PDB file of all heavy atoms in Angstrom:
ATOM      1  N   GLN A 400      16.755  35.056 -25.812  1.00 97.00           N
ATOM      2  CA  GLN A 400      15.560  34.651 -25.099  1.00 97.00           C
ATOM      3  C   GLN A 400      14.349  34.999 -25.916  1.00 97.00           C
ATOM      4  O   GLN A 400      13.442  34.229 -26.022  1.00 97.00           O
ATOM      5  CB  GLN A 400      15.539  35.324 -23.710  1.00 97.00           C
ATOM      6  CG  GLN A 400      14.168  35.075 -23.017  1.00 97.00           C
ATOM      7  CD  GLN A 400      13.979  35.779 -21.734  1.00 97.00           C
ATOM      8  OE1 GLN A 400      14.542  35.376 -20.660  1.00 97.00           O
ATOM      9  NE2 GLN A 400      13.164  36.824 -21.640  1.00 97.00           N
ATOM     10  N   ASP A 414      28.367  32.417 -16.429  1.00 95.00           N
ATOM     11  CA  ASP A 414      29.346  33.404 -16.562  1.00 95.00           C
ATOM     12  C   ASP A 414      30.668  32.679 -16.253  1.00 95.00           C
ATOM     13  O   ASP A 414      30.854  32.279 -15.065  1.00 95.00           O
ATOM     14  CB  ASP A 414      29.176  34.561 -15.663  1.00 95.00           C
ATOM     15  CG  ASP A 414      30.221  35.593 -15.756  1.00 95.00           C
ATOM     16  OD1 ASP A 414      31.398  35.369 -16.061  1.00 95.00           O
ATOM     17  OD2 ASP A 414      29.881  36.782 -15.483  1.00 95.00           O
ATOM     18  N   ARG A 432      22.879  17.858 -18.007  1.00 95.00           N
ATOM     19  CA  ARG A 432      21.535  18.307 -17.760  1.00 95.00           C
ATOM     20  C   ARG A 432      20.685  18.202 -19.039  1.00 95.00           C
ATOM     21  O   ARG A 432      19.577  18.594 -19.064  1.00 95.00           O
ATOM     22  CB  ARG A 432      21.508  19.696 -17.193  1.00 95.00           C
ATOM     23  CG  ARG A 432      21.938  19.756 -15.749  1.00 95.00           C
ATOM     24  CD  ARG A 432      22.188  21.243 -15.400  1.00 95.00           C
ATOM     25  NE  ARG A 432      22.719  21.299 -14.011  1.00 95.00           N
ATOM     26  CZ  ARG A 432      22.093  21.853 -12.971  1.00 95.00           C
ATOM     27  NH1 ARG A 432      20.953  22.435 -13.165  1.00 95.00           N
ATOM     28  NH2 ARG A 432      22.656  21.895 -11.764  1.00 95.00           N
ATOM     29  N   VAL A 600      33.388  60.791 -21.988  1.00 83.00           N
ATOM     30  CA  VAL A 600      33.847  62.072 -22.580  1.00 83.00           C
ATOM     31  C   VAL A 600      35.316  61.872 -22.933  1.00 83.00           C
ATOM     32  O   VAL A 600      36.084  61.499 -22.071  1.00 83.00           O
ATOM     33  CB  VAL A 600      33.711  63.192 -21.592  1.00 83.00           C
ATOM     34  CG1 VAL A 600      33.901  64.514 -22.373  1.00 83.00           C
ATOM     35  CG2 VAL A 600      32.416  63.091 -20.959  1.00 83.00           C
TER      36      VAL A 600
ATOM     37  N   THR B1145      18.962  23.571  -9.493  1.00 96.00           N
ATOM     38  CA  THR B1145      18.832  24.720 -10.367  1.00 96.00           C
ATOM     39  C   THR B1145      18.049  25.851  -9.580  1.00 96.00           C
ATOM     40  O   THR B1145      17.142  25.583  -8.807  1.00 96.00           O
ATOM     41  CB  THR B1145      17.968  24.415 -11.590  1.00 96.00           C
ATOM     42  OG1 THR B1145      18.480  23.281 -12.336  1.00 96.00           O
ATOM     43  CG2 THR B1145      17.910  25.571 -12.538  1.00 96.00           C
ATOM     44  N   GLN B1166      25.617  33.717  -8.877  1.00 97.00           N
ATOM     45  CA  GLN B1166      26.324  32.478  -9.304  1.00 97.00           C
ATOM     46  C   GLN B1166      27.523  32.155  -8.494  1.00 97.00           C
ATOM     47  O   GLN B1166      27.751  30.970  -8.197  1.00 97.00           O
ATOM     48  CB  GLN B1166      26.687  32.688 -10.833  1.00 97.00           C
ATOM     49  CG  GLN B1166      27.509  31.543 -11.258  1.00 97.00           C
ATOM     50  CD  GLN B1166      27.970  31.746 -12.743  1.00 97.00           C
ATOM     51  OE1 GLN B1166      27.218  31.629 -13.725  1.00 97.00           O
ATOM     52  NE2 GLN B1166      29.332  32.067 -12.937  1.00 97.00           N
ATOM     53  N   ASP B1180      14.428  37.223 -18.280  1.00 95.00           N
ATOM     54  CA  ASP B1180      14.158  38.686 -18.383  1.00 95.00           C
ATOM     55  C   ASP B1180      12.689  38.890 -18.667  1.00 95.00           C
ATOM     56  O   ASP B1180      12.215  38.456 -19.718  1.00 95.00           O
ATOM     57  CB  ASP B1180      15.013  39.178 -19.513  1.00 95.00           C
ATOM     58  CG  ASP B1180      14.911  40.667 -19.599  1.00 95.00           C
ATOM     59  OD1 ASP B1180      13.887  41.297 -19.284  1.00 95.00           O
ATOM     60  OD2 ASP B1180      15.892  41.328 -20.091  1.00 95.00           O
ATOM     61  N   VAL B1366      28.790  62.811 -18.394  1.00 83.00           N
ATOM     62  CA  VAL B1366      29.248  64.194 -18.073  1.00 83.00           C
ATOM     63  C   VAL B1366      28.031  65.030 -17.800  1.00 83.00           C
ATOM     64  O   VAL B1366      27.124  65.036 -18.657  1.00 83.00           O
ATOM     65  CB  VAL B1366      29.974  64.759 -19.260  1.00 83.00           C
ATOM     66  CG1 VAL B1366      30.718  65.989 -18.788  1.00 83.00           C
ATOM     67  CG2 VAL B1366      30.920  63.834 -19.892  1.00 83.00           C
TER      68      VAL B1366
END
Side-chain angles (χ1 to χ4, degrees):
Chain A
Q400 174 182 285
D414 180 330
R432 288 166 182 246
V600 192
Chain B
T1145 306
Q1166 174 182 285
D1180 181 331
V1366 195

